[in-house]
Each structure stands twice: as structure tokens, then as C-alpha cells.
Amino acid sequence: MKDKRPNTIDIRNKRASFEYELLDRYTAGIVLYGTEIKSLRGGKGRIAESFCQFKDGELFVINMNIDPYDHTVYFNHAARRERKLLLTRTELRRLDRAVQEKGLTVVPLRLFINDRGLAKMEIALARGKKLYDKRESIKDKDIRRDADRAVKIKL
């Protein structure tokens, strides 16, 4: 019988929405070793510096860090190895064509464990922001924060 604990693993790449304009979002599975999924369930993963790249028609996430599992001795994994992402063939073709033709990139947004206990990664097709776009993002964030403060003071 499976353990029905609530999945609280939700690792986010907070810089992605600041650095990139997100166009399309996809949910992909990840090929992981046993010690990697155990370490992820312990909350020991980071995707802040990671990116996605195509190799031989397959999509890999590179530079994603999953800390080694504490309770194993011999069969531990490399912390920053390339991990294959699992998407449908049509999604892979669509992403590959967009990356090659339009100069877009694929960035990881979120790493989570779904209801069935499988590790999934939310990725996005993105376009890099210019400096003035980043200034606009900062200005919008400041305006929202000031408006929230004004509402809290009136309550």
C-alpha cells in the first residue's frame, strides 16, 4: 500500500521570470536514479542555475543540482549530471524548431513531485529580456507592493 503523504516538494527557479519572457509552458518527466528521487523527496535539489539543451533530438536539463543521498555508501549519484526530460515527440519537435529558428531558449521553472509520486519539471519556452524590460518588471513589482501596503493599512 502506498503512503499518501502530501507532496510538499516544490523547487522553483525564481530568476527565470525576471531574466526571461515566458512564452509557452510544458510539464516534463525526468529520468532519475533511485538515490536522486530519495534526495529530492528530502528537499535537496536546486534548479536556479540550470538550463535545457537539445542533444540528438532529446531534451536534457543541465547543471541541475541534486545533493547526494545521505543514507547510501556505494551507489550514490553525481550531483550535477545531465538528466533527460521526457516529453511527447510533437512537443520535442515544436520546442526544437522554436529554439533553432527563433533564437528562443528552454528554461526550467519548477521541480515537483506529482500525486503519483513521480518527479516532474515544468519548463518554458522563453525569450531573454533586455535591460529595459527588467527595469519594467522591477517597477511593476514595486507598484504592486506599494498597493498591497496601502490596502493593509486601510484594513
Side-chain angles (χ1 to χ4, degrees):
M1 185 168 188
K2 287 206 172 193
D3 190 12
K4 293 291 181 182
R5 287 181 283 189
N7 293 323
T8 58
I9 306 306
D10 191 16
I11 301 166
R12 295 184 179 271
N13 186 357
K14 296 176 184 175
R15 291 277 309 164
S17 62
F18 181 71
E19 296 285 335
Y20 299 97
E21 175 187 351
L22 306 176
L23 304 175
D24 263 345
R25 292 175 186 246
Y26 299 92
T27 300
I30 311 172
V31 177
L32 295 174
Y33 296 147
T35 55
E36 289 175 328
I37 190 69
K38 288 180 180 185
S39 186
L40 272 181
R41 286 190 179 129
K44 300 196 176 180
R46 287 180 296 283
I47 60 171
E49 300 159 355
S50 61
F51 59 96
C52 297
Q53 190 174 38
F54 280 95
K55 291 185 180 179
D56 298 327
E58 296 177 335
L59 188 63
F60 290 88
V61 62
I62 298 171
N63 211 19
M64 180 174 80
N65 188 8
I66 298 176
D67 292 338
Y69 187 56
D70 295 334
H71 302 296
T72 187
V73 178
Y74 296 111
F75 302 110
N76 225 331
H77 61 275
R80 290 189 183 265
R81 73 176 185 88
E82 297 176 358
R83 294 167 178 94
K84 184 177 175 181
L85 294 178
L86 304 172
L87 291 163
T88 64
R89 190 173 298 148
T90 56
E91 289 173 336
L92 282 172
R93 268 193 242 123
R94 188 178 308 136
L95 284 171
D96 193 21
R97 196 173 315 120
V99 167
Q100 288 178 355
E101 291 176 4
K102 301 175 187 171
L104 302 176
T105 186
V106 180
V107 293
L109 300 177
R110 187 175 148 224
L111 180 64
F112 62 98
I113 297 178
N114 70 359
D115 297 335
R116 294 177 50 202
L118 302 173
K120 299 287 183 175
M121 179 175 278
E122 185 177 347
I123 59 175
L125 187 63
R127 178 183 301 124
K129 284 185 181 178
K130 304 287 185 207
L131 181 62
Y132 55 85
D133 291 334
K134 293 178 187 178
R135 288 181 186 156
E136 284 291 321
S137 297
I138 292 170
K139 188 169 79 172
D140 291 342
K141 192 166 86 172
D142 288 342
I143 290 170
R144 279 195 306 268
R145 184 176 39 218
D146 291 342
D148 289 344
R149 284 183 187 157
V151 169
K152 286 182 183 179
I153 290 173
K154 290 183 181 180
L155 293 177

